[in-house]
Amino acid sequence: MSKPKLLSVKEELKELNQLRKNCSHTKTKRLLMLIEIKKEQGNAFSKRDLAKRIGVDPNSITAWKKLYEQGG
C-alpha cells in the first residue's frame, strides 16, 4: 500500500469555514475535506480515513484532491 499523499491547503481555517457557510450543498463536503486536512496540517492520513471522517467515498477524496491541486 502506498503512503498517503500530503496536500498543502493554502487557505486559512477561518476562510474555509466562511466559504462553507456560503456555498452550495455539493461543495460543502469538498470544503470539509480541506478543513480536515488543514486541521491536521503536516500529518498525512489515508484517503479512506479522510473519507470516513467526512462521510464520502474514498474515490471522491482522490478526485477532489486532484481538482484542488489543479487550481482550487
Side-chain angles (χ1 to χ4, degrees):
M1 189 159 37
S2 64
K3 286 181 152 183
K5 185 176 179 185
L6 189 61
L7 180 67
S8 178
V9 178
K10 300 170 277 210
E11 297 81 8
E12 296 296 323
L13 276 174
K14 186 176 180 179
E15 182 182 355
L16 291 170
N17 281 313
Q18 184 83 26
L19 288 169
R20 193 181 78 156
K21 289 178 185 177
N22 299 322
C23 75
S24 65
H25 178 70
T26 56
K27 293 183 182 176
T28 299
K29 296 285 187 177
R30 293 181 191 191
L31 285 166
L32 284 173
M33 176 194 75
L34 295 175
I35 289 168
E36 287 296 320
I37 292 171
K38 187 68 174 187
K39 284 181 188 175
E40 301 289 333
Q41 199 68 46
N43 298 322
F45 44 93
S46 74
K47 67 180 179 181
R48 285 178 183 79
D49 290 339
L50 187 54
K52 195 181 296 184
R53 287 183 187 193
I54 299 170
V56 297
D57 187 83
N59 292 327
S60 295
I61 298 295
T62 302
W64 296 343
K65 280 183 171 183
K66 279 184 186 179
L67 287 172
Y68 184 76
E69 289 173 333
Q70 293 171 355

